[in-house]
Amino acid sequence: MRVLFVSSEAYPLAKTGGLADVSAALPHALAELGVDVRLVLPGYPCAVDAAAHKIVEPELPRAAGADTTRLVRACMPDSGLPVWLVDCPTLFNRGGGLYQDDHGADWPDNAQRFAHFSAVAAQLARGKLVPDWQADLVHANDWHAGLLPILLGQAPEQRPASIFTIHNLAYQGLYPREILPLLALPDGIFTPDGIEFYGKVSFFKAGIRFSDHITTVSPSYAREILTPEFGCGLDGLLRHRMKSITGILNGVDYRVWNPTSDRCLPARFGVDDLSGKRICKADLQRELGLAVSQTIPLISWVSRITDQKMADVVFHALPAILERDVQLVMLGQGDPGLEVQLADAAQHYPGRLAVRIGFDEELAHRFHAGADLLLHPCRFEPCGLTPLYAMRYGTLPIVRQVGGLADTIIDAIEWSVRAGHATGFVFREPSASAMLDCLDRALAFYAQPVLLRKMQRRAMDREFGWDASARRYLALYRRLAPRAAPTDRDPDAGRRDASNLMVKGAQG
Ligand code: ADP
Ligand code: GLC
């Protein structure tokens, strides 16, 4: 079973959010099951820098796209998994972020960037660029890879099966119709039954409409996106394709998110001995200029600063949150206006509120380890990896009952606490008052150390590893590409391929 996994980010090469975590961990878990899975990513400078054992291939024929493009054949630095980087300097070699400039404005050529990326990925999948490898199935992720099913369909005789995974329906890749001639798509595709979305070109609609199967990252979100409230205007089409949609919960990569081995922490700890967590708390308080105290509840917020994460609600609720006897630490980036407002707010609560604007992977680990509670309110949340990470570090999440959060966090109400099931605190309405009531419930728990300790233990022990979900993906792959070679008889095949490539790469 040969799978091309197409994503716009993968940790540690390039990351803005959970998509990067999934795009590193899921292929690794599939390789462990014997799948010959290879990643393809845009050749951002950070990705090229971080990739291991690089071999730059000759320039691609111009038919693959208008700009000079080379494939860089490499390996993931941690897992050794094979990765191809689409190195097209005019589209990907620039400063700023992956999708935006330094001021938070989307790159004006994003449509061309990801259309070209998808066109190269389609050729790779069909064996046109690398003669010894052809995909049985293409796994395309989010709008950046949405055009792939159409591009694969252009050569029906060599068409691999396709899965399109929805990580976040709110970012749709919507562009004016004038962009069409630049995308090299088949004629007649710009119709309401094709990729037109209210007069615009929709990359997301392309993925949903033309892929063989659609997955999303939790069972609850799979149901929610069928409704007008969560469907972002695509719920009608999604209902039409309902029989081809599966919700598969994301997993946690415990190679990366594990307090017993985490090198970002000043001290490590596990479920049986939390003394290291106390060191992490004191260290975080010192690092962020807060009063050092074990008794005061330390609440963290690690997030993109967006509407999705109710960042506006949290900002307006800051005075109310800090009326309570708590400390709050915030790490995030996103909405430029809110970034400034949050940073300013920190000046008004010295020693109680610390705000770090920016993206800092290591600090995120230290937040999870040092905090007691994670504040994670959301208007919608397809899966929500952050609370799963927090739980593993003994930090109890306060979340809204929505999307993947509804599938993963068990609220501390009387029965669940008595039965020893509770792992966090859950509220329903997307409002400041509901969030604050829930915070008060959490603080009441915090004041009862025996109960708190029990809940921490339960949260740390909850198993969200990738194995079960990777097996579900593999079962789907098998159904969609029945003629692909079996993997189960040779569970090490994927890993062996990866190390072969690594050896070749090292010999360069
Ligand atoms: P989403 O993908 O919607 O942002 P998830 O909770 O699924 O939400 O995943 C977010 C990922 O991004 C986590 O790995 C989290 O640690 C990381 N993250 C978010 N914001 C930051 C930040 N400012 N600095 C470092 N890591 C961050
Ligand atoms: C998206 C979602 C988040 C999910 C992540 C990985 O960014 O917002 O809920 O966990 O993708 O699938």
Side-chain angles (χ1 to χ4, degrees):
M1 170 67 75
R2 288 160 304 183
V3 173
L4 185 67
F5 197 93
V6 188
S7 178
S8 61
E9 43 185 276
Y11 176 79
L13 303 195
K15 171 168 172 176
T16 66
L19 172 62
D21 294 353
V22 173
S23 301
L26 172 56
H28 175 72
L30 289 164
E32 294 278 305
L33 296 176
V35 179
D36 175 0
V37 55
R38 302 184 181 204
L39 265 162
V40 57
L41 240 70
Y44 315 110
C46 57
V48 176
D49 283 352
H53 308 303
K54 290 167 277 227
I55 304 171
V56 180
E57 304 276 0
E59 191 180 325
L60 299 185
R62 286 297 167 108
D67 296 296
T68 305
T69 304
R70 289 187 173 79
L71 276 180
V72 178
R73 189 197 266 246
C75 293
M76 295 299 273
D78 43 3
S79 63
L81 207 78
V83 56
W84 282 296
L85 300 169
V86 178
D87 180 25
C88 176
T90 52
L91 298 180
F92 297 118
N93 190 355
R94 52 181 76 165
L98 306 187
Y99 318 118
Q100 295 174 328
D101 66 19
D102 280 329
H103 306 290
D106 285 351
W107 294 116
D109 58 351
N110 271 346
Q112 295 97 302
R113 293 172 83 219
F114 291 103
H116 182 56
F117 168 63
S118 298
V120 174
Q123 296 216 42
L124 253 176
R126 293 209 306 263
K128 292 291 171 198
L129 304 182
V130 180
D132 56 348
W133 198 86
Q134 195 170 334
D136 299 305
L137 181 140
V138 172
H139 190 152
N141 292 274
D142 263 356
W143 75 263
H144 321 91
L147 297 182
L148 256 161
I150 299 178
L151 299 167
L152 293 171
Q154 283 177 312
E157 70 292 349
Q158 293 169 313
R159 186 182 170 280
S162 60
I163 288 190
F164 180 64
T165 294
I166 300 174
H167 294 264
N168 196 332
L169 204 46
Y171 302 94
Q172 296 199 358
L174 274 182
Y175 297 100
R177 61 183 301 169
E178 290 70 33
I179 207 88
L180 263 178
L182 301 175
L183 303 184
L185 297 175
D187 291 339
I189 204 92
F190 189 70
T191 64
D193 187 39
I195 64 171
E196 182 194 342
F197 184 75
Y198 298 102
K200 292 191 166 177
V201 175
S202 168
F203 280 46
F204 225 117
K205 190 170 172 187
I208 295 171
R209 167 73 181 75
F210 294 102
S211 57
D212 295 329
H213 199 88
I214 300 152
T215 68
T216 187
V217 290
S218 70
S220 284
Y221 193 60
R223 286 188 295 274
E224 287 170 354
I225 56 176
L226 305 179
T227 67
E229 188 186 354
F230 293 98
C232 300
L234 287 169
D235 46 292
L237 175 61
L238 285 162
R239 284 195 297 278
H240 182 69
R241 295 226 54 197
M242 206 164 118
K243 290 202 173 104
S244 305
I245 302 180
T246 311
I248 303 180
L249 192 67
N250 284 336
V252 173
D253 189 340
Y254 291 124
R255 293 171 307 154
V256 179
W257 298 97
N258 191 340
T260 60
S261 55
D262 192 328
R263 287 205 219 113
C264 305
L265 309 185
R268 281 164 276 287
F269 56 92
V271 67
D272 295 324
D273 179 7
L274 288 184
S275 52
K277 186 166 172 72
R278 286 191 284 279
I279 298 174
C280 292
K281 180 170 177 179
D283 189 77
L284 187 64
Q285 288 169 324
R286 260 191 301 275
E287 177 179 355
L288 300 178
L290 305 180
V292 176
S293 155
Q294 288 297 329
T295 46
I296 191 164
L298 177 54
I299 305 167
S300 66
W301 188 84
V302 182
S303 180
R304 290 181 291 111
I305 301 178
T306 60
D307 270 8
Q308 174 186 350
K309 310 291 182 175
M310 287 171 61
D312 51 327
V313 174
V314 173
F315 168 69
H316 290 294
L318 281 179
I321 294 171
L322 291 157
E323 242 170 44
R324 278 108 174 133
D325 187 20
V326 298
Q327 293 174 335
L328 175 63
V329 294
M330 305 184 77
L331 168 64
Q333 68 177 14
D335 182 296
L338 270 173
E339 283 184 355
V340 174
Q341 286 176 306
L342 286 168
D344 283 352
Q347 311 301 321
H348 297 111
Y349 301 96
R352 309 267 319 285
L353 170 64
V355 175
R356 292 289 178 273
I357 300 299
F359 195 90
D360 187 334
E361 182 75 22
E362 295 192 357
L363 189 55
H365 286 243
R366 293 202 295 281
F367 266 48
H368 291 321
D372 299 300
L373 299 166
L374 172 87
L375 188 61
H376 193 84
C378 290
R379 290 198 166 87
F380 65 94
E381 187 65 288
C383 171
L385 290 166
T386 301
L388 305 186
Y389 299 160
M391 281 199 273
R392 181 47 66 124
Y393 287 74
T395 297
L396 300 177
I398 299 169
V399 301
R400 180 164 172 241
Q401 190 179 45
V402 71
L405 304 174
D407 296 335
T408 53
I409 319 285
I410 301 172
D411 191 17
I413 47 176
E414 204 183 324
W415 77 264
S416 67
V417 175
R418 273 218 212 124
H421 290 324
T423 55
F425 306 93
V426 182
F427 60 96
R428 279 172 188 269
E429 294 305 314
S431 66
S433 59
M435 179 182 79
L436 289 167
D437 285 349
C438 194
L439 172 62
D440 285 335
R441 279 204 291 128
L443 293 176
F445 249 91
Y446 184 83
Q448 306 175 66
V450 177
L451 275 184
L452 181 82
R453 182 73 189 87
K454 265 196 188 154
M455 255 180 94
Q456 272 179 317
R457 222 182 245 281
R458 163 65 57 179
M460 290 175 85
D461 272 343
R462 276 302 299 272
E463 195 45 61
F464 290 106
W466 263 107
D467 187 57
S469 296
R471 284 178 194 279
R472 294 200 62 200
Y473 278 106
L474 180 54
L476 251 182
Y477 292 175
R478 284 245 150 273
R479 184 146 67 78
L480 297 167
R483 277 174 301 181
T487 61
D488 14 4
R489 267 180 279 139
D490 184 7
D492 285 326
R495 250 183 303 170
R496 204 169 47 231
D497 273 358
S499 52
N500 280 346
L501 198 79
M502 238 161 66
V503 172
K504 272 194 225 159
Q507 289 165 347

